[in-house]
Amino acid sequence: MSGEQVVIAGAGHAGGSVAAFLRQYGHQGPITLVGDETIAPYQRPPLSKAWLKGEADAESLLLRPLDWYVEAGVDLRLGTGIEAIDRVGCSVRLSDGTSVAYDRLVLALGAKARRLDVPGSDLCHVGVLRSAADAEWLKPRLGPGERVAIIGGGYVGLEAAASARSLGAEVVVLERESRLLARVAAPMLSAFYLERHQAEGVVFVFGAEVRSIEGNGVRLATGEMIAADTVLVGIGALPNDALAREVGIACSDGVIVDSAARTSDPNIFAIGDMTYRPLPLFGRSLRLESVPSALEQAKQAAATICGTLPPAPEIPWFWSDQYDLKLQIAGLPLDCDQMVVRGDPRSGSFALFHLADRVVRAVEAVNAPGEFMAGRQFIARGTSIDTYRLADSTIPMKQVAATT
Ligand code: FAD
């Protein structure tokens, strides 16, 4: 078992992490880690935050130093695409014309930025923010006086807006919905972030339908022209599941996996942003795009390949940094019937707890790490809670927890 040849397709956060967990859990067989980017596995979150603002260098993005791969006996093949999977012959075909055989294949191909299908979207001042190469393209375009239009008011767009403002650029965010973070945050949180971004000088257009992108900006369906030197499209991401679909591996919104990261093929695992994964604590499957989810699944796959039990399911969580605001979200606000506000948004530190039948199912905490940590525990425990005490920020979180 431990001498098996493991091939990891995709050298991103999930792929790099599963290689490390395999060695940590005792896998002694060969590991080949193949990625089409030319950089060793790195963290993407700083690309819209610290790195974009010049507060982190390229080396600090790397998950592990290059020496680690040599010492751990991981054959790292960068700048190499996976072109096809041969499920019968158990091998993958690479873009350099060679093939690599596997006993176990771990798909960790991530997601790709969704493109805007309008005339002009291929112009050279239009881009997305998914990779280090994208961030390299964007960074010099955010200096003082540069005019940036960001299409999409989701997390990546808003983080880029905050970074761009701190670098002195003029920023307009064009959002199709009537509020920011419409698919992923409570309306109160959307309103809080809108107010803060406006105070920082970001301009917003809601209900914005983009008709075309032109040399000097973005044309809306209303005919209005939004002047811009650079257009950043941040309208979500799509799973890189085409290779799996081609060979009949079961997919939904991404490759369908179980809680051990197994696909419908017993020799093939899938992890990270490309998966449609079960969330046992919430009784459903979803595709998540977050580092904690990628790490959890990397552990699941590594443990299963090494013949040990996968770790207990984790509460999904996520973070976002904008200006001096650290947002931390845990759980999923599905089927909730109550929201409890703790703290005052005007103070810049507060938390929103989402409950179903008085049981906390999700927490959105802004500059409130204690509330975030306690919220995660409430979600894991699944017991009902005294909502009056929860809302009373004069009662320390520990005492709220003690009464549940
Ligand atoms: P990726 O890291 O995207 O890695 C997939 C790799 O596979 C890539 O290198 C890709 O090029 C490669 N690949 C794809 N197809 C092929 C192929 N055919 N052959 C070879 N290689 C291939 N998450 C958080 O939790 N908090 C945050 O604050 C946060 N901020 C983010 C900010 C930005 C700008 C972005 C883009 C993402 C952010 N995320 C954040 C999400 C997080 O980075 C992802 O969830 C995480 O990177 C997922 O890891 P992954 O390995 O599944 O995908």
Side-chain angles (χ1 to χ4, degrees), residues 3 41 52 59 78 90 148 173 183 188 243 279 282 294 326 383:
L52 200 55
E59 207 166 320
L78 298 175
C90 288
V148 184
V173 173
R183 286 177 300 121
M188 196 169 164
L243 289 178
L279 292 159
F282 294 86
K326 180 166 227 32
T383 49

Side-chain angles (χ1 to χ4, degrees), residues 25-80:
Y25 297 168
H27 180 75
Q28 287 168 4
I31 301 175
T32 306
L33 174 56
V34 187
D36 59 3
E37 293 185 86
T38 51
I39 311 172
Y42 63 93
Q43 311 171 61
R44 277 164 223 277
L47 298 180
S48 50
K49 314 176 182 77
W51 187 88
L52 200 55
K53 288 187 282 180
E55 294 167 0
D57 61 15
E59 207 166 320
S60 69
L61 293 183
L62 293 181
L63 288 184
R64 284 172 189 79
L66 277 173
D67 292 352
W68 180 87
Y69 298 91
V70 180
E71 283 159 19
V74 173
D75 178 10
L76 179 60
R77 302 199 193 173
L78 298 175
T80 309

Side-chain angles (χ1 to χ4, degrees), residues 12-14 36-37 44 49 82 109-110 130 272-273 290-291 319:
H13 215 124
D36 59 3
E37 293 185 86
R44 277 164 223 277
K49 314 176 182 77
I82 309 271
L109 301 169
R130 177 76 202 177
D273 285 10
S290 79
V291 167
W319 78 93

Side-chain angles (χ1 to χ4, degrees), residues 138-213:
L138 183 62
K139 195 173 182 176
R141 297 171 166 270
L142 302 180
E146 294 282 339
R147 297 170 308 170
V148 184
I150 298 176
I151 302 176
Y155 285 117
V156 169
L158 291 182
E159 288 178 354
S163 299
R165 284 303 296 146
S166 68
L167 292 168
E170 292 172 25
V171 182
V172 181
V173 173
L174 307 173
E175 170 56 57
R176 195 176 56 180
E177 305 296 326
S178 57
R179 66 177 174 103
L180 300 176
L181 303 168
R183 286 177 300 121
V184 289
M188 196 169 164
L189 200 66
S190 304
F192 173 81
Y193 274 94
L194 173 63
E195 201 171 301
R196 177 59 189 269
H197 276 280
Q198 285 175 327
E200 298 284 348
V202 179
V203 173
F204 290 87
V205 180
F206 289 100
E209 284 290 346
V210 174
R211 183 196 292 168
S212 62
I213 301 176

